[in-house]
Amino acid sequence: MATYENLLLELQHGILKITINRADKLNALNIDTIKEIKNAIQQVYDDPEVKGAIFTGAGQKAFVAGADISEIAEINDVTARNFAERGQEVFAMIERCTKPVIAAVNGFALGGGCELAMACHIRVASDNARFGQPEVNLGLIPGYGGTQRLTQLVGKGKAMELMMTADMVSAEEAKALGLANHVVPQEELMPKCEEIMHKIMSKAPLAVGLVIDCVNAVYTKDENGYQTEANSFARCCTSEDFIEGTNAFLEKRKPAFKGN
Ligand code: COA
């Protein structure tokens, strides 16, 4: 069983809440925290009790204010590539998880924080949240997938502008850009995330996981997403949940999905 110094994990009603817990550093991601996020997301993959995960940040001010700049300052040409690839690997695990992962963005989501939020399947922002990729201020570029995922989410022109200017955007602007799915008052942030999660959890889990796979296929080079979709559709049709779902509809009752 993994132990955590920089994260708080709480499992309630099938939802694993993962809180980045370095509030005095605005939840900046040091290397140990990245390792712990990897362990936590592995738990989401492996633990049948976990049906979905919500990432958030400790305190009222920040989701995550980026990679830890005091560690970045020590990076050299030998360690830099490894630094980026390690973070990319962990964030790709989040993106590819076949259980739903929601980011509850409760404040600053900058640099690696914006990248973490973008790796999640859905982003809900509190009205005080601010998003940005300010790496050029430090003579850097995003290294945890930000250049790719921001472009996927907001389009090329706006992604170019945000990453070249280092401008931050408000929660409402992020919503207008397609970066945030919803904006809610801070006290409603976790209830809204839980509401979305419970709605997803009431659907057929296998089908939900295959939706995630198929959407990700759009952005996976050399993968034919239409083929992935047809294969996934066929896989659904051999599942018990498909029989349950269609029977429940015809019998005018709620389905009881089992995930197989
Ligand atoms: N890495 C390491 N420490 C960080 C950090 C980061 N990414 N972001 C904030 N902190 C630390 C600050 O150094 C400060 O620590 P201290 O109290 O020991 O001095 C503490 O968190 C509070 O931050 P502070 O800057 O005092 O808060 P603020 O309200 O004045 O400003 C921000 C908030 C988010 C605008 C500002 O902290 C900031 O610009 N952070 C860096 C964002 C960034 O460039 N991220 C990308 C990194 S690649």
Side-chain angles (χ1 to χ4, degrees), residues 159-213:
M160 287 275 194
E161 183 184 340
L162 288 176
M163 286 184 279
M164 291 195 286
T165 61
D167 279 350
M168 286 188 220
V169 294
S170 68
E172 283 299 344
E173 286 171 293
K175 185 178 166 198
L177 288 171
L179 185 51
N181 296 57
H182 302 275
V183 179
V184 293
Q186 197 160 36
E187 63 277 10
E188 289 170 29
L189 180 61
M190 207 40 78
K192 179 71 181 176
C193 292
E194 285 165 0
E195 178 197 317
I196 297 169
M197 191 62 91
H198 283 300
K199 188 183 279 188
I200 297 171
M201 283 161 55
S202 73
K203 315 300 178 193
L206 179 77
V208 166
L210 289 170
V211 166
I212 294 169
D213 284 347

Side-chain angles (χ1 to χ4, degrees), residues 34 159 217 249 252:
I34 290 286
F249 178 81
K252 300 190 188 307

